[in-house]
Amino acid sequence: MNGRWHSRKFWLIVMLAIGGVYVLSEYAFWLHRRRRHCLLVAGFSLRDYAEAHGGEFPRHTNGFGNALVVWAKSSPSEIPIMVGPGDDGSWLRNAVTTGESVDEGVCSRIYVQELNESLDPQVVVLFDRFATRGGDHSPHPWAGYLREAIRLDTSLARIPVDRWPAFASNQVELLVKEGIPRATAEAYYRPTLDPNAKR
């Protein structure tokens, strides 16, 4: 009887230790990713850029990827907030250094050009290309897939994948209302409508 009690006690301690290690590793993983790519900070950074440039956000005639380079040149320490979860931003750092043109297809966040602070504050200016589990603010392995987006008023939207098509459609209409050609507005959101656009 006494030997059985010690054996059960031993296995209980082993199971608790394994559970503790798992919980601590998940917490460390969460801390590592927590707000590393914070869109809220990105919104404030864009606002700072606009204040320094007559109310205009970064822009480039050769696509939004190159507009991100313009932004990154003005705030190189903020490159992590210009890219989405799972992206280390090395391609953006390289473009800042070399001056190479950036293909929009490598961008993990989509930046909407031709906006300024005077437009409808509900218009999204920057959003995740890929849906991730929990987004940047709650990246737990058990979380549902969602995208994060920052509006012109710097409010954060966290949109689950099942609600994203409706959200994207509404944003396209807002952009058209603000004078962005429909084809351009739709092109911003098209890559996100692929069901496989997940990380």
Side-chain angles (χ1 to χ4, degrees), residues 32-133:
H32 173 70
R33 285 190 59 198
R34 184 174 177 261
R35 299 192 180 194
R36 185 175 181 186
H37 303 282
C38 185
L39 265 173
L40 287 170
V41 177
F44 290 117
S45 177
L46 279 169
R47 180 162 284 186
D48 290 344
Y49 183 97
E51 285 176 8
H53 295 85
E56 298 297 321
F57 292 118
R59 63 180 62 201
H60 197 283
T61 56
N62 197 20
F64 75 79
N66 291 297
L68 288 173
V69 176
V70 171
W71 179 16
K73 283 182 179 177
S74 72
S75 303
S77 65
E78 296 180 346
I79 287 176
I81 63 171
M82 300 174 195
V83 298
D87 185 347
D88 66 3
S90 57
W91 59 271
L92 188 50
R93 282 187 200 86
N94 186 54
V96 167
T97 303
T98 64
E100 291 178 23
S101 184
V102 170
D103 179 347
E104 292 176 352
V106 304
C107 302
S108 54
R109 283 202 165 135
I110 296 175
Y111 169 66
V112 181
Q113 292 200 87
E114 306 304 323
L115 301 179
N116 60 61
E117 293 182 303
S118 69
L119 302 180
D120 183 339
Q122 293 303 300
V123 170
V124 165
V125 64
L126 186 69
F127 58 93
D128 292 330
R129 176 187 295 267
F130 302 102
T132 57
R133 289 191 177 276

Side-chain angles (χ1 to χ4, degrees), residues 16 24 27 43 84 98 108 111 115 119 129-130 140 157 161-162 170 180 184:
L16 287 173
L24 286 174
Y27 182 67
T98 64
S108 54
Y111 169 66
L115 301 179
L119 302 180
R129 176 187 295 267
F130 302 102
H140 304 293
V161 290
D162 60 332
N170 181 58
I180 304 292
T184 302

Side-chain angles (χ1 to χ4, degrees), residues 136-159:
D136 183 55
H137 286 79
S138 49
H140 304 293
W142 56 84
Y145 281 95
L146 58 84
R147 285 185 180 83
E148 294 181 341
I150 195 75
R151 299 181 181 101
L152 286 174
D153 66 359
T154 67
S155 62
L156 180 69
R158 303 181 78 235
I159 314 298

